[in-house]
Amino acid sequence: MASSNCFVLAIFMALSLLNINVGLAARHLLQMPPALPGVTLPPLPSIPNLPQPTLPTTQPSLPKPVALPPLPSMPTLPTMLSIPPLPSMPTLPSIPTIPTTIPFFSPPPSKTSP
């Protein structure tokens, strides 16, 4: 387990150092002069002219829609069986009401009288 953690750490460090070198190389290339004197590039080849395709000016005629056959009639559904009514719910016992106000007690008597 510890060896795999060390391996992952070593790979992470190697990739970090590799990215630093790539960044420094990019900066070095950006700071170089634009072109070397006396070196010329060959001219680019010209793009040949391609023939233009001709498009038809008239649209082809579409086939005429045919009449659809009538839809089949709905089959007859079976009649529902008679289901006995559900029994009535029993009545629940009444729950005593909870008081909504809290009574406040009087403060204790003071030791000195005013």
Side-chain angles (χ1 to χ4, degrees):
M1 185 71 182
S3 63
S4 66
N5 286 341
C6 291
F7 180 71
V8 170
L9 181 62
I11 293 294
F12 179 73
M13 293 295 291
L15 289 176
S16 298
L17 293 174
L18 180 68
N19 285 337
I20 290 172
N21 290 338
V22 169
L24 290 175
R27 177 177 291 200
H28 178 69
L29 288 175
L30 287 173
Q31 291 178 349
M32 285 180 57
L36 297 175
V39 176
T40 58
L41 294 176
L44 293 175
S46 63
I47 299 174
N49 291 333
L50 297 175
Q52 294 295 325
T54 58
L55 297 175
T57 56
T58 60
Q59 289 187 349
S61 63
L62 297 174
K64 301 287 183 200
V66 295
L68 297 175
L71 294 175
S73 61
M74 288 291 292
T76 57
L77 297 175
T79 59
M80 294 285 294
L81 298 175
S82 114
I83 300 174
L86 295 174
S88 63
M89 293 289 293
T91 59
L92 297 174
S94 64
I95 300 173
T97 59
I98 300 172
T100 56
T101 59
I102 301 172
F104 291 105
F105 300 108
S106 61
S110 62
K111 293 182 180 181
T112 60
S113 62

